[in-house]
Amino acid sequence: MVENKELIKVVEETVSRDDVKYVIGYKRGTYGFQIKPAFAYSAEDAKEFFYSPLCSKNLATYPLLEEKLPLRRGEEAEHKKIGIVVKGCDSRAIIQIIQEKGLEKEDVVLIGIPCKGVIDPKKIAKRFPKQSKFVDVEENNNDEYILEIGGTSHKIPKDELLSDVCKSCEYPNPPLYDILIGEAEEEFQPEHFNRVDELEEKTIEKRWEYWEKHFQNCIRCYACREACPLCYCKTCMADLLEPQWIRRSVNLSENTAWNVMRAFHLAGRCISCGECERSCPVNIPLMELNKFVEKEVKEMFDYTAGLDTEEKPFLGSFRPDDPEDFIS
Amino acid sequence: MEQLTLPKEKLPELLGEIGSKFELIGPKEENGFLAFRKINDPKEVNLDILLSRVPPKSLIFQQTETLFTYAKGKDSKIQTPKIDESVRVIFGIRPCDARGYDIIDPVFMGKKEGDYTDPFYTKKRNRSILIGLSCNEPDTNCFCTSFDDSPANSKHVDILFTDIGGTYFVEIVTEKGEDLIKNLSKIFSKATEKEGTIRKETEKTAIKAISRKMNTEGAVEKLNKMFEHEFWIEAARSCIGCGICTYLCPTCHCFDMQDESTLKLGGRVRVWDSCMYEEYTHHASGHNPRPSRMNRVRNRVYHKFNYFPKNDGIFGCTGCGRCIDYCPVNIDIIEVIDKVKEVNV
Ligand code: SF4
Ligand code: SF4
Ligand code: SF4
Ligand code: SF4
Ligand code: SF4
């Protein structure tokens, strides 16, 4: 359990440090089960921070989104840290970015949250539709979520609302943090991401049909990319015009190219936070692609992304005994 | 305006007949959300979900439109595609989405004699007959009433259906609508006065069910004064620039032109674009006049709540709530406008 009082205290202390620019965390949203990213520039701002099982958003995207304005002559870049509230997967995203040299450890202060899993916003909105006021959710020690709507208290078995990615999460505790809020969670036995197993049981034709059905709906908004903490290339290859790898026309062929290409670019880098799938406005089950690639990378190369800042990135490393039977 | 009724169980018959005579488009559930698609069997139509995920603007302002094609070589000719002008019926469009067309019409069809009209948009718009469906149960983030609109407004469609319990109350609004009805078998009855009253009551109940309200009073003037205000940095801090708020908006209409070719064939396409993307204003020189998210979020708000009212006398927002529903970081346009009003200038 994360005590909000403790969280706020830590954020206040962190933001008050001379070497910290601001701290990113969560605050309550404007309706229903929505949460908002919150930015604290002062101890005062920290008061609106909170944490609950609704805080699914991976905030690790933000440090790299910050626009660096051109410096005037003689002006020096400000080297201050950004504080971020991180769950297990968010922390792994930061580790992965550091491993790839997108950030340095000195750039961030990680406020770690031992995670018990987050609620899937789609599942809960479906269960309790039309909430025009913010509703918070708590978790008890009995694997149940408790929420109150219009004076009535509801108890829902955790399993019914928990995000699919969390069910199969192997690292609920942040592997890298500077300050940990509360006690680390006990290790638990993660489930298989069974949506991939289901897919693998299908014939190639059926699988293709399945993806066709989804990819034809893709509107190529690239929200999956923008939401992903690891899609931080300065120019995404989807935006390149010369050469143009993917045409701007929105049709099944180009949409497929986009989604397959993105999954490949995340091979050995995706840390399974599920942010892409959560953001996709047309319900494309992107995690089935990511988890499939993750599994292949694990089985063939025994590699797991986002665990060690010193490790060589998967695609940038080579071992003489790497399997090569896929080359024929 | 002619007022008719149709028993609900006769709807499949009606749609079947329309589908046999014209192209019929309607809301269909697909992968857990609603999409406007060609209807081959009236059973496919889903009227339980309120709004389609992608607004029906995509039927007229298509996401990808091929403007012309060419072949390479000596005898190369530029070919413009023939635009279908036969009647097409769009069934089940909600009043706010239909109003979206009214808002962007001037952009593509011009405002006065002599203005440029885009043939693709105009022809698709003209061939479409809109059969609207009133919303009896507005959703969480509906706020059409903030723009003097109503969940049962007939003004933006050719025919409006309102579910009055077991029966549809059918209003024939335009000549286009009248012509369509004339072409169909006589399965409608004349509406009675009592049914008219129930229809009005239904509308009132629906209006009451709308809980969110945007206070737009004075917003245009306020925005006039705060373009440079640091409020925009604050407002855009959490924006990830995903563009969902614009792609899913029934009034956003920005596009990009691209030449796409293979070795032998090529074409020029018009595709949706969004002011929320960094690339959108990126000049060939490398300069970008809207370099940060603050510039982009500000542009979206100004376009809808300042430029539109100043240019066309109407807010560029229908109150459909999609941008609020699907923004991954809960940037809530109602809250943004509320905060704009609080800013000290
Ligand atoms: S978020 Fe979804 S719709 Fe948008 S580009 Fe990604 S897969 Fe396509
Ligand atoms: S690909 Fe999706 S799940 Fe993987 S890191 Fe990016 S947002 Fe998270
Ligand atoms: S899709 Fe690939 S190129 Fe584009 S941002 Fe992601 S990793 Fe970079
Ligand atoms: S700005 Fe938002 S609420 Fe207004 S029309 Fe666009 S999507 Fe709908
Ligand atoms: S949907 Fe939200 S995060 Fe995405 S571009 Fe719009 S305001 Fe920004």
Side-chain angles (χ1 to χ4, degrees), chain A residues 58 224 227-231 262 266 269-277 287 290:
Chain A
N58 187 339
C224 43
C228 175
L230 289 152
C231 265
R262 200 183 90 87
L266 272 305
R269 307 177 57 229
C270 166
I271 44 73
S272 284
C273 60
E275 198 57 50
C276 49
E277 186 175 281
M287 285 319 289
N290 296 332

Side-chain angles (χ1 to χ4, degrees), chain A residues 130, chain B residues 8 27-29 34 43-52 91-92 94 133-139 163 168:
Chain A
K130 298 197 181 164
Chain B
K8 266 177 144 176
K28 230 167 126 172
E29 196 197 328
L34 209 63
K43 281 208 252 358
E44 296 165 354
V45 171
N46 178 317
L47 302 178
D48 300 330
I49 304 174
L50 194 73
L51 287 178
S52 61
F91 178 79
R94 301 291 176 171
L133 180 65
S134 303
C135 318
N136 286 9
E137 287 180 51
D139 225 326
D163 180 349
Y168 287 114

